[in-house]
Each structure stands twice: as C-alpha cells, then as structure tokens.
Amino acid sequence: MSYCVNCGVELDKSAKKCALCGTRVINPNEPQKKQNAEQTPFSEKTFVPAEIKRRFVAYVITMVMLIPNIVCTFINAIFYKGGFWSFYVSTTSFLLWVVLVFPFYTKKLRPYLMWFLDTLGVCAYVFFFFVMGYEGKEKWYFSTALPIILAASALILFYMLWVKSKKRHWVLKLLFVTADVAVFSFVCGLILEFGSNVRYAFDIGVIVSVCCAALAGFLAYCYNSRHMRAWLSKRFFV
C-alpha cells in the first residue's frame, strides 16, 4: 500500500499523482536520474523551427549568389566599359534564384507567384543573352522568342487553373498535357515559319501536333474505359 505524502489518501499502484489533492507521486524504487529528468522544466536540446531553417538556407544561398554579381558589375563598370557582359551573370543568377531559392522564402507553395516570376526570369534571360549587343535581334525577340515564351507560359497557367479547380485522374492529367504539347507545337511552328522565316517549321509543328493528338485520343479512350484505367493503374502502380 502507498499513501499520499500530502493528504494521506491511499493511492493506486499505477497512480502518477494524488486523485484528491493532485500531489505528484514519487516512487523511491525508480532511478534518481529518471526522476531528475522528469523534474527538468526545459530540454537541453535546441529546437529550431523548420521555417527558420529554410529561410536561413535561402539567405545564405542568396548572399553567395549576390557576391559574384556585385564583383562582376564593379569590374564591368570600372575596367571593361565597352559592354554589358555583367548583365549575363546577373540575368542567369536571377533566373536560378527565382527557380531554386525563392521557394524557400515562402511559408507555403505559391504556384501563381512562381509562375509569374519564372516567366519574367525566362524573358529577361533570353533578352539579355540573345538580344543585348546584337543589332537587329530586337525584331527577332519580339516577333519570335517572346511569343513562344508567352504561349508556353499561358498553357502552363491554363493547366494550373484546370488542375486546381477539381481533383483530376492521372490519365486525364496526362491527356491534358499531351493536348498542351500539341497546341504548343502548332503555335511554335506557326511563329517560326511566319515570324522568323524558318523553312518547314510549320510542317514539323503540324506533324508533332498530329502525333500528340493521336496519343491524346488513345488517352481519352483509356479514361472513358473503366477496364483500361484499372489496367493502366495496375501496370504503372499509380
């Protein structure tokens, strides 16, 4: 039998505290180290929230990427004033930062903000790498490169909105991506043929679009057939 040291009430063998007054039960048979560990109000281990870890890593990577940009800009401005080669470094760093580092700063995934920054980064990257310093390239950029980038960006945004609106089956997602590739191939061929005078670009785009359309038709049949959907899910472990 054991009794409470405060009020004298008989205690159960498995009791951790008195049922009447709430006094903690101390078992003298337990090792002293365990009792001391239970009495310790604070843990000796340092706990760092995951959000702080992610932001610290992003901050370190940002500083590492910023140093060469500052050095290259300084050298370009002081010693090599004939061109803007430091913009190539800055544009590449910006694109890598947007794609790889920026997600670490956000508490949750923001797909639409990432889509906008990725599109902006790709547009700036292509402009500085293929237009800056080349005469006559501005026309090529605005008539060919920029429309192709915007077309791809619009199709990606359309896919994001479509997926977010409702839960979709994986076969239907694959069907939608295949249809996007078909549309993009057709648009690219059209832009390259009539915007940059690339021979047979439109014909190649049409061929790729027809192949994608045939694959999309097969996927549509698989999606509408319950047996085919079950067979594909079983075969691909989806």
Side-chain angles (χ1 to χ4, degrees):
M1 295 291 183
S2 59
Y3 301 90
C4 177
V5 296
N6 183 45
C7 63
V9 173
E10 185 179 344
L11 301 173
D12 187 75
K13 293 182 180 180
S14 61
K16 299 297 182 181
K17 63 181 181 179
C18 177
L20 182 62
C21 64
T23 303
R24 191 168 66 88
V25 177
I26 299 176
N27 189 350
N29 296 324
E30 290 184 359
Q32 190 66 25
K33 291 183 179 180
K34 186 176 181 180
Q35 293 184 11
N36 292 338
E38 292 177 356
Q39 295 174 359
T40 303
F42 301 103
S43 175
E44 297 179 357
K45 295 182 179 180
T46 303
F47 175 73
V48 181
E51 180 183 345
I52 297 179
K53 288 182 180 179
R54 293 171 67 249
R55 291 194 175 186
F56 177 75
V57 171
Y59 175 78
V60 172
I61 297 176
T62 301
M63 292 297 103
V64 171
M65 295 178 65
L66 189 61
I67 291 173
N69 283 274
I70 295 175
V71 172
C72 291
T73 302
F74 176 78
I75 294 175
N76 192 185
I78 302 299
F79 299 103
Y80 300 97
K81 301 180 180 180
F84 298 97
W85 58 268
S86 62
F87 282 104
Y88 297 120
V89 180
S90 301
T91 307
T92 305
S93 299
F94 175 73
L95 182 61
L96 292 176
W97 185 87
V98 166
V99 175
L100 301 177
V101 183
F102 179 75
F104 286 92
Y105 282 102
T106 57
K107 293 182 180 180
K108 60 180 181 179
L109 186 63
R110 301 180 182 275
Y112 298 110
L113 179 60
M114 290 299 303
W115 164 82
F116 174 76
L117 292 177
D118 289 345
T119 303
L120 184 63
V122 172
C123 290
Y125 179 83
V126 174
F127 180 80
F128 283 108
F129 261 79
F130 298 99
V131 177
M132 289 289 292
Y134 299 95
E135 294 184 1
K137 286 292 184 177
E138 293 84 0
K139 182 180 179 181
W140 168 83
Y141 177 78
F142 289 105
S143 64
T144 304
L146 187 60
I148 290 176
I149 295 172
L150 295 180
S153 180
L155 290 173
I156 293 173
L157 177 61
F158 187 47
Y159 176 79
M160 292 166 57
L161 294 172
W162 178 76
V163 170
K164 186 179 179 181
S165 62
K166 184 180 178 182
K167 187 177 180 180
R168 310 287 183 175
H169 193 272
W170 70 272
V171 176
L172 198 59
K173 291 180 181 179
L174 188 59
L175 169 62
F176 194 95
V177 171
T178 306
D180 269 358
V181 174
V183 174
F184 181 71
S185 301
F186 181 81
V187 172
C188 280
L190 195 65
I191 294 173
L192 290 173
E193 179 84 20
F194 300 100
S196 296
N197 296 322
V198 179
R199 294 184 62 186
Y200 307 115
F202 181 72
D203 299 336
I204 295 174
V206 170
I207 293 173
V208 175
S209 299
V210 170
C211 294
C212 291
L215 180 59
F218 171 74
L219 291 173
Y221 165 74
C222 294
Y223 178 74
N224 292 321
S225 174
R226 183 180 302 177
H227 297 290
M228 285 297 297
R229 273 190 295 170
W231 183 81
L232 288 174
S233 299
K234 183 178 179 180
R235 289 295 180 183
F236 292 98
F237 304 98
V238 180

